[in-house]
Amino acid sequence: MKLLRGSNARLIDQRFLAMGTEISVKLVCGHRSQRNDALLAIQNVTELMHAFSREAWAWGDGALSKFNSALSAGGTPKVPYGLRELFTKAWKIHQQSGGLFEPRVAKLVRLWGFDDVARLRDSPPTSSEIETLLRAMSAAPNFTGAMYYGPAPNVSWDFGGIGKGYIVDKALDILRKHQFGDAVVDAGGNLAARGAHHSRPWRVAIRDPRSSQDPRRLLASLEVFNEAVITHGDDQRYFEFEGRRYSHILHPKTGVPVQGFRSLTVVHSDATLADAGGAALFVAGPDSWRALAKKLDIDQILIAKDNGVIQATSALARRLSVEPDVRIEVID
């Protein structure tokens, strides 16, 4: 996504790296005298993002990684206190999606090399390696909200499909507490906005995931009203083998990267649901996403299929300003 600016009066724009991507924080100051307060608020957001990047990463030395190490070894570790809300939200969407959003895929993600761009494979893992991890996930207990979880040998949790949506809303909460209610936080294409910019809605552009242009070709743009615009795509972490693209979004029932979509964008007031729900819709694929969207109560969706066809639900299509060279098929 790209934020399209109107008037730049008193707009503060700060960028930094966290969670393996560039974070952008934009907020509107009512008066020049608020600039120092705004910078302090952004510093608090920066600290939040860095802490979340460390503690909620499935690997490394943070709280989730330590939890995973104990769980994978056959223990029943305590759910990290600071992550309990995220565990609960992730499991709720797991249940609502019929398991198509699966937060316990960390072992599979690592097997495929999608945990780190430096570890990307050049060919798929063996079917026996995949099946071993699928059996472990299948045998793992449900999450009940209890203080401890397990045992689940050879299983680890990963919040890569929900964490950025979750944390951008938390960042906006911090800005609001600092009296900056007109703001946008973008975590590498996981964007949420509140308020307005100079009495006008924030305008966000959606890019073509396979564009080779720099900057990437735009598909459409829309005005955003206290909501998130979150895109999942096959252009982020992937490798190609024997003419097939293997991207980082795995089907939790087969353990293999899903096919069918280039990208899927969700617009929703809840960034956490937009993120995790969008991941589940991507997994559901061209034949099943509409039924799942209805079940999740997500009605604003833009899809770019593998064959180049672009579709949008009617609820979103009526809001889009489509680029002149783009054709979007409207569906119910």
Side-chain angles (χ1 to χ4, degrees), residues 239-246 256-259:
F239 64 88
E240 294 185 352
F241 178 73
E242 295 183 346
R244 177 177 174 179
R245 177 178 291 219
Y246 293 85
V256 176
V258 297
Q259 303 287 315

Side-chain angles (χ1 to χ4, degrees), residues 5 67 222 284 302:
R5 300 184 186 179
F67 169 89
L222 73 155
L302 177 72

